[in-house]
């Protein structure tokens, strides 16, 4: 049924509003804002702009409690297409993460590919050249055929788009749990570098300045994609396949070069990507930010399909398009640049000063509404939903861990853990990515975080995504706090100072009080941790309605952490370097196994509470690690996380596949052996130092008042030995670690 036919098939515009995802009360609010019933086209615009995906109507009140400015931030969160962080030398880092969950559940290849394309445009519309892509992915049980199909499609989509565009995919994370079976999470992050004097804002201002649409032609793909992203996955979701956009990375590469060239002319006033809600979003948000308006003629928009209506053009989410405001009189010079790159650049209207969006088609005015009536902070509704602590927490926390039987063979338990898809190397994934294009990648995937050098300087940045959703499920406040702490720990292990985060908050239906409580508590935990570490939130994305008939996904607030390395000589990797080096544990071991991979893999249980986290201790452990790196004392550093200290030690032995080493470790803590080996207590880092430097390093530990212990030595004998509990050839461990996912994917 055509969209025009939809309005003729219902009795009233109110009924159509409800079909399009609005409530009856919201329809009344629209009438109040514009003083009349909306036209069909205006109603479509309100339906997408007031969807959760665009308006954050159920989350914005909570998000405003986060630390959204300060530190090295150049703009406050939410003001621009992406966050901006000053790194000195007249340079800034633009970075952001966003979700493409629902499209990827229906069409995994294009859903993931266009997620990458959209986040890249958010970066280069600010004048920044993208230098890195990261991805945070969640799927169900990998042995299930549909999950394998989704996993394969998503990875290929990310790889093909990033590789073709020419930006390295350098880091990320992949987790598997049955809660994501029907609703995978696909979060894409991009990072770019921009000179301060070439930063461009997403704003429309200057009465009479021409408005251009640049890039690809407009088609019917992606119409109501934002609405689709604001509802639960259901049996009818397959019928929404046309809502998934189709990407073209080669066109996007041309668009990048043309855009950056245009910005250098100084004639560009503002740019915004046409992502969710397409022309509707970019015209309204740019106008609202500039306290201006626009007059637009849709007959001037280049289209690739005949007979497209005003409604379809306004709501299309065709990829590789942007809206640009140019200084009056210089539009021809900008058009010429895009023409050189074989791209459309067409004047479709001009900026006004009356605050109104006036849009016509076939000579008829079809839209005449205040621009800010559509946007967050303007007319878009804001809700604070009911929150109620979930009843399941009482049940899952009843566990007495010491009632769990001890494994008969700790070697066998360890091998099961190291081959778990959640712990095993994700080499099968990142081998499909071009990780070195641009020749800036210094630390490749597989370590604690990726490191990318900044050409023309002696600096580098370290980036990582992180979230253990089991912890958040068991304790949303503490779990989100841990996600911030661990992502900071990851970049510290590479020699970087954590400076800011972006986030992608993936939750279920916010109208359910238990889900909203998870969301509210997770944001509270994230905010408290960010304030403590002075890592303000630069922006990000909220993805609600990640539910299927089987239930909601685990609450998954993914943290994208940015760290700065002021001198390339500080870059540190996780792998052991030389036999004879002493292995030192920073922090203290505990017996915490709640939410651990050990419980999930060996006993098939997700129970207990999230590990405890002492932010002050965490900060002192991280400071000790950084001090040791900067004084040249630490040769390797690796955080202890999933799988506990046994897995972390094994990873240190084998992260460098070309130089496998062993270790001999003696743990003296009075803790049950399996809990000591596989518990996931926080605030721990394994470092190595030369024996002659131990005394100097101990002085740093004393100064920072942290617990530490020399627990062993790196050995030439290629075995991992921990007390008399674990004694295995590292080649055997490495075979399981590097091939576990590959072997599952090879089974048809």
């Amino acid at each position: 049924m055509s969209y025009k036919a939809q309005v003729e098939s219902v009795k009233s515009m109110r009924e159509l509003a409800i079909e399009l995802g609005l409530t009856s009360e919201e329809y009344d609010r629209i009438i109040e804002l514009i003083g009349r019933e909306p036209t069909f086209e205006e109603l479509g615009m309100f339906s997408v702009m007031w969807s959760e995906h665009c308006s954050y109507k159920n989350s914005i009140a909570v998000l405003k409690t986060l630390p959204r400015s300060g530190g090295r931030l150049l703009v406050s969160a939410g003001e621009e297409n992406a966050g901006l962080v000053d790194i000195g030398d007249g340079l800034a880092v633009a970075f952001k993460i966003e979700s493409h969950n629902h499209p990827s559940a229906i069409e995994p290849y294009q859903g993931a590919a266009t997620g990458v394309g959209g986040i890249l445009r958010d970066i280069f519309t600010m004048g920044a050249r993208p230098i890195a892509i990261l991805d945070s992915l969640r799927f169900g049980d990998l042995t299930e055929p549909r999950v394998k199909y989704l996993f394969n499609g998503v990875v290929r989509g990310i790889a093909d788009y990033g590789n073709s565009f020419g930006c390295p995919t350098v880091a990320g994370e992949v987790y598997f749990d049955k809660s994501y079976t029907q609703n995978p999470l696909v979060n894409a992050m991009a990072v770019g570098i921009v000179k301060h004097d070439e930063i461009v804002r997403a704003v429309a201002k200057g009465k009479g300045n021409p408005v251009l649409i640049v890039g690809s032609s407009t088609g019917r793909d992606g119409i109501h994609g934002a609405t689709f992203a604001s509802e639960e996955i259901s049996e009818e979701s397959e019928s929404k396949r046309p809502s998934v956009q189709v990407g073209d990375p080669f066109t996007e590469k041309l668009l990048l070069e043309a855009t950056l060239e245009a910005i250098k002319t100084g004639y560009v006033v503002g740019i915004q990507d046409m992502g969710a809600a397409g022309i509707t979003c970019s015209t309204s948000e740019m106008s609202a930010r500039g306290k201006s308006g626009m007059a637009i003629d849709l007959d001037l928009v280049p289209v690739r399909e005949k007979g497209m209506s005003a409604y379809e053009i306004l709501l299309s989410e065709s990829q590789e398009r942007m809206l640009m405001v140019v200084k009056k009189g210089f539009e021809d010079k900008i058009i010429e640049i895009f023409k050189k790159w074989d791209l459309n650049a067409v004047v479709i209207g001009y900026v006004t000063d009356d605050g109104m969006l006036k849009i016509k088609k076939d000579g008829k005015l079809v839209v005449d509404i205040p621009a800010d009536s559509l946007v967050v902070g303007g007319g878009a509704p804001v809700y604070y939903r009911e929150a109620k602590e979930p009843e399941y927490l009482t049940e899952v926390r009843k566990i007495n861990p010491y009632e769990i039987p001890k494994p008969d063979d700790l070697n066998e338990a360890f091998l099961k853990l190291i081959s778990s898809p959640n712990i095993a190397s994700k080499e099968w994934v990142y081998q499909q990515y071009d990780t070195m294009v641009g020749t800036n990648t210094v630390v490749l995937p597989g370590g604690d975080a990726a490191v990318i050098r900044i050409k023309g300087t002696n600096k580098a940045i370290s980036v990582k995504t992180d979230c253990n959703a089991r912890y958040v499920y068991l304790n949303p406040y503490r779990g989100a706090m841990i996600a911030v702490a661990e992502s900071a720990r990851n970049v510290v292990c590479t020699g970087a100072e954590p400076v800011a985060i972006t986030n992608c908050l993936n939750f279920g239906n916010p109208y359910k009080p238990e889900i909203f409580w998870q969301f509210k508590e997770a944001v509270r935990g994230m905010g408290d941790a960010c304030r403590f570490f002075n890592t303000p939130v630069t922006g990000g994305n909220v993805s609600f309605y990640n539910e299927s008939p089987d239930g909601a996904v685990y609450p998954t607030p993914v943290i994208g952490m940015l760290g700065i390395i002021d001198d390339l000589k500080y870059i540190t990797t996780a792998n052991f370097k030389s036999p004879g080096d002493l292995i030192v544990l920073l922090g203290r071991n505990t017996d915490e196994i709640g939410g651990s991979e050990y419980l999930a893999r060996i006993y098939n249980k997700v129970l207990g509470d999230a590990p405890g986290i002492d932010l002050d201790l965490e900060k002192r452990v991280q400071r000790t690690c950084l001090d040791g790196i900067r004084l040249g004392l630490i040769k390797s550093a690796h955080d202890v996380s999933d799988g506990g200290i046994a897995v972390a030690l094994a990873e240190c032995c084998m992260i460098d596949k070309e130089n496998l080493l062993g270790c001999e470790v003696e743990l003296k803590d009075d803790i049950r052996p399996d809990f000591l080996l596989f518990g996931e207590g926080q605030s721990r880092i394994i470092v190595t130092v030369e024996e002659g430097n131990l005394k100097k390093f101990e002085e740093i530990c004393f100064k920072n008042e942290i617990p530490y212990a020399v627990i062993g030595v790196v050995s030439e004998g290629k075995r991992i030995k921990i007390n008399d509990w674990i004694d295995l050839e590292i080649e055997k461990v490495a075979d399981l670690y590097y091939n576990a996912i590959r072997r599952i994917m090879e089974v048809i």
Side-chain angles (χ1 to χ4, degrees), residues 101-102 104-105 138-139 150 180-186 546 553:
N101 302 336
H102 282 45
S104 300
R138 303 290 191 283
F139 300 91
L150 291 171
Y180 306 106
T181 298
Q182 294 190 53
N183 198 134
L185 301 185
V186 178
N546 290 291
V553 302

Side-chain angles (χ1 to χ4, degrees), residues 257-268 324 334 337-338:
E257 300 301 341
T259 300
L260 295 185
E261 185 176 339
I263 289 169
K264 289 182 184 296
T265 66
Y267 303 143
V268 176
M324 181 179 289
I334 298 300
I337 290 172
F338 282 87

Side-chain angles (χ1 to χ4, degrees), residues 389-399 474 607-608:
E389 183 172 336
E391 293 181 3
Y392 74 80
L393 288 177
T394 303
E395 291 301 315
V396 298
R397 291 181 184 171
K398 283 182 178 178
I399 180 176
L474 296 172
L607 296 172

Side-chain angles (χ1 to χ4, degrees), residues 183-378:
N183 198 134
L185 301 185
V186 178
N187 297 176
M189 177 174 163
V191 183
I193 299 293
V194 59
K195 294 180 179 178
H196 285 200
D197 58 3
E198 293 180 1
I199 295 170
V200 177
R201 312 290 185 179
V203 65
K205 57 185 180 181
K207 182 180 179 181
N209 278 339
V211 177
L212 284 70
I213 188 170
V214 301
S216 294
S217 297
T218 298
R220 289 188 171 95
D221 50 322
I223 295 173
H224 273 295
T227 309
F228 170 49
S230 304
E231 58 190 29
E232 294 177 17
I233 295 289
S234 66
E235 292 179 2
E236 289 75 41
S237 294
E238 189 67 19
S239 66
K240 303 294 180 75
R241 187 180 289 265
S243 290
V244 179
Q245 312 94 320
V246 177
D248 180 354
F250 300 103
T251 297
E252 177 124 333
K253 174 63 174 174
L254 299 176
L255 187 58
L256 162 70
E257 300 301 341
T259 300
L260 295 185
E261 185 176 339
I263 289 169
K264 289 182 184 296
T265 66
Y267 303 143
V268 176
V269 175
I271 317 173
Q272 182 161 322
D273 168 43
M274 286 189 191
I279 291 175
T280 292
C281 184
S282 53
T283 54
S284 59
E285 290 187 345
M286 290 180 75
S287 296
R289 285 194 194 99
K291 301 188 184 325
S292 62
M294 285 188 191
I296 301 293
D297 186 350
L298 297 180
D299 290 323
L300 300 176
V301 174
V303 295
R304 61 172 181 260
E305 300 181 50
K306 292 182 179 180
M308 289 187 68
S309 67
Y311 188 100
E312 292 169 327
I313 295 171
L314 283 167
L315 271 63
S316 168
E317 295 182 8
S318 293
Q319 296 291 285
E320 291 84 44
R321 300 177 305 151
M322 300 190 302
L323 198 71
M324 181 179 289
V325 175
V326 175
K327 292 180 181 178
K328 188 175 182 180
F330 297 98
E331 56 268 33
D332 287 344
K333 294 185 181 297
I334 298 300
I335 290 170
E336 194 61 33
I337 290 172
F338 282 87
K339 184 179 179 181
K340 182 183 74 173
W341 291 96
D342 283 334
L343 294 169
N344 294 317
V346 179
V347 176
I348 61 170
Y350 55 90
V351 177
T352 63
D353 61 358
D354 59 2
M356 301 295 289
L357 276 185
K358 296 181 182 287
I359 301 174
K360 64 181 181 178
K361 178 79 168 68
D362 299 325
K364 178 185 175 184
L365 191 66
V366 294
V367 174
D368 187 7
I369 55 177
D372 67 358
S373 68
L374 294 166
V375 305
V376 179

Side-chain angles (χ1 to χ4, degrees), residues 66 466-487 501 505 507 518-530 533 555-559 610-611 613 615:
L66 292 170
D466 208 286
C467 177
N468 188 317
R470 284 200 202 110
Y471 296 168
V472 187
Y473 170 73
L474 296 172
N475 190 324
Y477 174 76
R478 196 188 298 167
M481 191 178 283
I482 289 172
V484 175
E486 184 172 352
S487 60
I501 75 160
L505 309 180
F507 289 80
Q518 289 177 334
F519 172 73
K520 187 182 70 162
E521 285 296 288
V523 171
R524 185 168 71 91
M526 178 172 55
D528 285 353
C530 285
F533 292 115
T556 312
V558 174
I559 304 299
I613 178 78
L615 293 183

